[in-house]
Each structure stands twice: as structure tokens, then as C-alpha cells.
Amino acid sequence: MDDFRRVADAVAADIRAGRLRPGERLPPQRSFARARGIANSTASRVYQELARRGLVTGEVGRGTFVRSAERAATPALAEPTNARVNLELNYPVVPEQGALLASGMERLLRPDALDTALGLVGVGGTADAREAVAGLLSTQGWRPAPSEILFAGNGRQALAGAVAALVPPGGRLGVEALTYPVIKGIASRLGVTLVPIPMDEHGLRPDALADVHERARLAAVYVQPTLQNPYGTTMPWERRAALAAALARLDLHAIEDRVWSFVAADGPAPLASLAARRTVVVDSLSKRLAPGLTLGFAVVPQPLTGRVASALRSGAWAPARFALDAASGWIASGAVEDVGEAKRADAASRQRIAAERLAGAAVRTDPCSYFCWWDLPSPWRADTFVAAAGRRGIAVTPAAAFVVGTAGAPRAVRVGLASPPPETLARALTVLAEIAAGTPEDAEID
């Protein structure tokens, strides 16, 4: 067994036995190396292995800490077992959507239509579906060609197909320094290495992308220009133009995730409008409509269509014909846009609740976003705050879930605003503000 894994196993045993307690700080790596009689490089690998197992978390400028027990066994973004209020998973549902969607089901209940809808369909979908989705995804300044639209069972599968097509096993995919956690799981399964790209208040920095690519070539870059997850912020037009220019200069392709863009109706045009031949756009229906109706879209430049289609087929990620036909009808009838309009109003309302209940907190978000990023006040760390919230029946996501590689996690959490009823959300945010105003010791007493 490798030396670093043997040492990591010993530390893990100390954590399980309670000899190292949640919240306890591990020694600096150099001190750890001296105490264990190992090289500094081996100590670094030990700490990386412990972080990979979810046993410790690193925080910028503060060190490495044993994670709270209730979080250590819970994968990022998995549904908490005891949380009464879930501000981690984030699926918006508005009261009127059931009635809006019910009328569109009547046509599928005819025997001939149902027979067709229960049949098979390929990743190219149908001509009607491609036309409908092209219209749905269109924004001012950009309309995808129906011939460039492919389908998957859900947005994650569309994203996986794009990554598999653009990045070979062992290849490197650039991502925002804090990114959507699902991309980490996809990369791991595909044997792809994620490379964090530094960001600023406007999003991923094109100059940083160039620096990283020149040091070790990237195969592609994954980016969320509109309502970036976890920050909830939107990249301005000027930055998109600079990023498009960098893609051309570096001969790189981008995967543009627009899953949340439907709630930013007046946002800038997609990156794809500036780099059409270099950008694969990924979107889906689960956030737009309902979590139980999944259908993923990939808008793929013609030279890449065959590669992405092949990746979707080989991954068994083709769509269900019933979902495809239902969605096509709802799009054509205007039901999808009506639900989207209701959700835009809902998101704005929930942002107002958050602004009121978290007044004075260091929150980063957008007035139309369904989530926000909260830089916690001292002396809170993300894991201790998440544990304190969990004891009060509230689940939030620690910053470590969004970190790529071995970088330290900020003292922050992401708060999802979409799932609970508004009055429950307001009470939960009030409780979180009360927790943040105290100390970890106070929370332990509570």
C-alpha cells in the first residue's frame, strides 16, 4: 500500500474513534510530516486523501479541520436525512404549474398519440421537438438551429455527453474555481481532470484561462455565464466577448451551462452567440418545469454533432419519448413560458425575503436568482455552521462542495431558496441569521 494511504488510514481511524473530534484543527503539513517521520510531499498527499474521503476540509488562511460527523458521511448535494427545511436541493415549483401543464396532457391520452409517445426515440429527437426547443432556447441575439439540437434524459446526461465528446479520458477540463458539484462527479466517472480557473466579480477570467491553458493544455472549459452556481451572479456582456475571443485565440471549446438562465429573462445573450462554432450549450426542463419531468438539451455546432451524439448514445443517455412529446406540446402551447414567467416572479419574491431576513449579511447573489452565496462571519467555519443549522432542522450546502481540487474552501455556504414554501423559507432564514449572530459554542449549547 502507498505510504500516504497507510498514514491517511491511521488518521481516519483516529477520527472514527473520536481521538480527533469534529472541528479540531490538524497541524500544518510540515509539522505533521515531522511528527510522522514522512516527507512533506507525502504529508500533502495524506491531507488530499483525507479531503477526498470527506473527513477533513481545508479553509483558506486557516488550515485543515476535521469535518462535522453528520456531514462527513453525506455526499455533496445529497438530500439530508433529518432536515425539515431543505435549503440545499433547489427545485422551484409554483402553485399554478399543475393546472398549466394538465391541459397539455389531454392530447397524449388519445390511443394513437400514446402509442407513439411510449415508443423509442434517438438522441436526435423528432423534427417537432427540435423546432419547439429551438424556439424555447432562443433569446435576443441568438437562436439555435434546430438541426444542431440533441436530446438526453436530463440535463446532467446532456452535460456528461458534452464532456465525454470534448475531453478524452485523462484529459483536462477547465472549470470555474467554485463550480457546480455535479460536474465533479461526471469528471470522476469519465476519468477527466478538472482544473480550477480563477474568477472575479464578473465570473471566469479569460486571462487566467489563458495562463492555465498555456501551462498545461486544456481540452475544453465548462462555464456558467448566467446565474453562476454557486454565486448566483451573471457574467456581463463585455466579459463574454473577452471569453469568446480567448476561446478563438486558444483554439478551445466551451460547454455553456444555461440551466438557470430561464429566470434571467433580460440577461445577456449566451456565450454561444459570440462563439457559435466553439460552444456546446447545455440546458434542461427540470428546473423550468418540474423535477419529475426530466429532459436535457445540447445545442451542438455542426462539426461536433456526431461526436456528442455518439457520446450520448454510448452512455445510454437518450431521452424518453413520452417526456419529449409532452415537452414539445407544452412548449408549443405556451405552457412552458407561462410556468417560466411564474417562476421568475417567485424567484424575485424569494430574493426579497432573503434580503430582509439576511439584512447586513455578506451575501452575494442576483435579484432573480434562486440561490445565494453567504460569506460567514467570524468565528464560523462552513462545516460548523452547517452542523449548527442541521441541529435546527435546516440543510444548507458548505463551500467545500463547490471547490475543485485541493484548494481550501472559503468560510461560506450556499443557500437554496427554491424548495420550501415562502413562509417556511422566511422562518428558516431567520433561524440561520440567529445562528450566524452567535458562536459555535452557543450553537452547541442550544
Side-chain angles (χ1 to χ4, degrees):
M1 180 182 292
D2 293 339
D3 286 346
F4 80 91
R5 290 199 178 93
R6 177 173 50 77
V7 178
D9 287 343
V11 178
D14 287 342
I15 293 172
R16 286 193 295 270
R19 291 186 290 271
L20 288 172
R21 298 178 59 80
E24 187 170 340
R25 181 177 178 176
L26 298 186
Q29 291 181 18
R30 288 181 181 275
S31 300
F32 182 88
R34 286 196 298 271
R36 300 273 176 162
I38 57 177
N40 291 338
S41 59
T42 302
S44 176
R45 297 185 73 185
V46 170
Y47 279 40
Q48 292 174 24
E49 176 66 13
L50 292 170
R52 188 190 67 80
R53 298 182 191 183
L55 297 174
V56 302
T57 181
E59 297 190 8
V60 177
R62 303 193 71 242
T64 301
F65 297 84
V66 177
R67 297 191 73 181
S68 298
E70 56 259 54
R71 293 300 304 185
T74 305
L77 298 188
E79 182 160 3
T81 55
N82 299 317
R84 296 187 297 275
V85 182
N86 193 333
L87 304 184
E88 186 168 25
L89 293 181
N90 209 28
Y91 286 97
V93 176
V94 291
E96 57 266 51
Q97 72 184 51
L100 287 169
L101 299 178
S103 61
M105 296 300 294
E106 295 174 359
R107 62 186 177 81
L108 289 180
L109 298 182
R110 298 195 319 266
D112 59 330
L114 189 58
D115 282 343
T116 300
L118 294 179
L120 295 174
V121 70
V123 299
T126 65
D128 286 347
R130 291 192 297 273
E131 287 288 347
V133 170
L136 176 69
L137 301 184
S138 295
T139 64
Q140 186 173 2
W142 182 70
R143 180 182 175 87
S147 62
E148 295 185 338
I149 294 174
L150 298 174
F151 297 90
N154 56 46
R156 296 182 182 194
Q157 293 176 359
L159 178 55
V163 174
L166 294 178
V167 189
R172 292 158 47 89
L173 175 66
V175 296
E176 294 141 329
L178 293 173
T179 192
Y180 179 37
V182 166
I183 193 68
K184 297 198 286 185
I186 290 172
S188 177
R189 288 192 295 274
L190 295 176
V192 168
T193 298
L194 296 184
V195 182
I197 310 297
M199 307 165 66
D200 59 19
E201 70 274 16
H202 298 307
L204 184 145
R205 289 170 36 206
D207 63 317
L209 174 65
D211 289 344
V212 169
H213 183 64
E214 287 166 5
R215 287 199 299 271
R217 185 173 178 81
L218 301 171
V221 58
Y222 165 76
V223 64
Q224 308 163 87
T226 302
L227 298 181
Q228 196 267 352
N229 187 2
Y231 282 150
T233 52
T234 292
M235 182 182 290
W237 176 257
E238 294 78 13
R239 175 60 58 85
R240 295 175 192 231
L243 179 55
L247 295 175
R249 187 171 65 253
L250 301 172
D251 191 23
L252 271 178
H253 288 99
I255 302 170
E256 179 177 11
D257 188 333
R258 287 184 55 80
V259 164
W260 284 109
S261 64
F262 74 96
V263 290
D266 298 324
L271 175 66
S273 67
L274 293 161
R277 296 182 63 80
R278 295 189 172 277
T279 306
V280 175
V281 174
V282 172
D283 207 331
S284 76
L285 273 190
S286 59
K287 299 291 196 300
R288 287 176 184 263
L289 289 185
L293 184 89
T294 62
L295 186 64
F297 317 128
V299 182
V300 187
Q302 204 64 47
L304 299 176
T305 301
R307 287 164 57 183
V308 177
S310 177
L312 290 172
R313 285 192 292 267
S314 65
W317 296 324
R321 178 66 184 261
F322 189 89
L324 193 73
D325 287 358
S328 300
W330 283 325
I331 294 168
S333 71
V336 174
E337 179 51 36
D338 290 342
V339 173
E341 184 176 352
K343 289 187 176 182
R344 286 189 284 274
D346 180 59
S349 174
R350 290 168 183 268
Q351 280 287 341
R352 289 192 291 271
I353 293 171
E356 176 188 344
R357 300 304 171 106
L358 301 181
V363 171
R364 186 184 324 194
T365 189
D366 185 283
C368 67
S369 175
Y370 265 118
F371 46 88
C372 57
W373 181 259
W374 186 358
D375 290 307
L376 298 169
S378 182
W380 286 102
R381 302 194 314 273
D383 63 329
T384 54
F385 185 83
V386 168
R391 287 192 291 272
R392 301 287 293 273
I394 304 169
V396 294
T397 311
F402 305 93
V403 172
V404 175
T406 59
R411 291 188 301 107
V413 294
R414 194 203 70 170
V415 180
L417 307 177
S419 298
E423 61 276 8
T424 303
L425 173 65
R427 289 195 297 270
L429 294 177
T430 297
V431 171
L432 293 180
E434 291 171 354
I435 293 172
T439 67
E441 291 75 19
D442 296 333
E444 290 282 356
I445 293 172
D446 290 344

